[in-house]
Amino acid sequence: MTPTPDIQEEEHQEPPLSFWRKVQALVVTIAALMISAGQWNDTTEVVSNLYTATMANFTHELEYELIDNINVGNSFDYVSASIGEPQVIKRSKIKPDVQFFYYVKNKFDLTLLINDGRIVGYGLLTKQDDFLPNIPFVGQFKTENLYSANSHFNHYFFDTNNLIYYLEHKELGKQQMFLNLLLGYVEYGATPEQFADAQALNTQVAQQIKQLEHKMTFSESDQEIAEELQKARKMIFPNFYSISETEPDVVAESLLTRYEYQLYTKS
């Protein structure tokens, strides 16, 4: 990191207002003008909208708070009061009593797994490399590769056909109600800042996963398979996680294919 040079200020020069003080001054000025005009209802709406827009554009706190309020076991009616209705709904083919409710947001995509009006799991895909929500029972989302971020896992799932993804499954303990954690990479999620070209990264990940699949199919050496697996884990930086009480393969099934994602998001 290049050191920041010292800035010499002239004697008696007033320091500039900080960004947040400027925002606060603007909000107060607008509120005062509108109150003086007798427009109290409009004033409260404008102030609320300004606050929300400022927080959303310059911090992730509102989004983090929204995500933190979603838990396995919640009723969908309770959660929909804050997050609204889903843009897309699909039904699981593996477990037909489970439906997938999809929400497409600016900074993240959310999938709720619903069974009889109850949340049995949810998956979150980050779309900005600095969007690092808290993962229940684990801690803050990390910017490390899977080899460093996830030392222990039970199973893994991957594909390179209709969608490039790699997910690792870990069963959480008794204190966490034996919930399932899935952590991994999905091609249309956030690209780590050290990779300038998302398409190039997807190509590299797909090639490494195909190498892993080839070893799993044709090699009789567990050591060779383990080596290919570790190569993949060192290359892959997670941008997706899920918490669920349902089978992890149902969560993997909930991932939209490349075509579906482009269709539903117009991207």
Side-chain angles (χ1 to χ4, degrees), residues 152-176:
H152 302 290
F153 60 96
N154 301 106
H155 309 286
Y156 53 92
F157 305 82
F158 60 80
D159 196 7
T160 58
N161 295 316
N162 297 319
L163 175 67
I164 300 169
Y165 75 84
Y166 174 92
L167 304 176
E168 293 182 349
H169 164 237
K170 179 191 295 185
E171 186 178 277
L172 301 176
K174 181 178 180 180
Q175 292 183 334
Q176 292 81 35

Side-chain angles (χ1 to χ4, degrees), residues 15-26:
L17 287 174
S18 69
F19 169 78
W20 290 112
R21 288 179 63 191
K22 290 180 180 179
V23 170
Q24 184 182 33
L26 175 61

Side-chain angles (χ1 to χ4, degrees), residues 96-258:
D97 55 347
V98 173
Q99 288 183 297
F100 307 138
F101 287 13
Y102 298 93
Y103 296 83
V104 179
K105 304 292 184 180
N106 290 332
K107 300 176 184 179
F108 66 93
D109 292 341
L110 174 71
T111 304
L112 300 181
L113 282 69
I114 308 295
N115 185 353
D116 195 24
R118 179 178 175 275
I119 295 178
V120 296
Y122 64 92
L124 187 134
L125 179 79
T126 64
K127 295 160 75 172
Q128 296 182 7
D129 57 24
D130 66 340
F131 189 77
L132 305 171
N134 183 64
I135 304 176
F137 315 115
V138 176
Q140 188 180 34
F141 211 94
K142 297 181 179 179
T143 56
E144 303 171 313
N145 61 39
L146 279 174
Y147 181 80
S148 301
N150 196 35
S151 57
H152 302 290
F153 60 96
N154 301 106
H155 309 286
Y156 53 92
F157 305 82
F158 60 80
D159 196 7
T160 58
N161 295 316
N162 297 319
L163 175 67
I164 300 169
Y165 75 84
Y166 174 92
L167 304 176
E168 293 182 349
H169 164 237
K170 179 191 295 185
E171 186 178 277
L172 301 176
K174 181 178 180 180
Q175 292 183 334
Q176 292 81 35
M177 302 175 292
F178 296 108
L179 294 173
N180 296 302
L181 167 69
L182 277 175
L183 183 67
Y185 174 83
V186 180
E187 68 173 73
Y188 43 68
T191 301
E193 60 180 354
Q194 59 265 48
F195 296 95
D197 188 343
Q199 186 57 49
L201 175 61
N202 286 331
T203 300
Q204 293 176 31
V205 170
Q207 290 174 345
Q208 185 56 50
I209 291 176
K210 287 179 180 177
Q211 274 294 112
L212 173 61
E213 186 176 31
H214 179 81
K215 291 292 184 182
M216 291 174 65
T217 304
F218 297 104
S219 177
E220 296 181 358
S221 169
D222 291 340
Q223 180 63 32
E224 287 185 354
I225 296 173
E227 289 174 357
E228 290 300 327
L229 176 60
Q230 297 305 353
K231 288 179 184 177
R233 301 186 74 236
K234 290 178 179 179
M235 177 183 296
I236 294 172
F237 290 75
N239 56 22
F240 173 89
Y241 78 86
S242 77
I243 299 289
S244 72
E245 63 183 28
T246 191
E247 295 82 350
D249 57 341
V250 176
V251 178
E253 180 197 12
S254 74
L255 296 174
L256 293 171
T257 66
R258 186 181 305 114

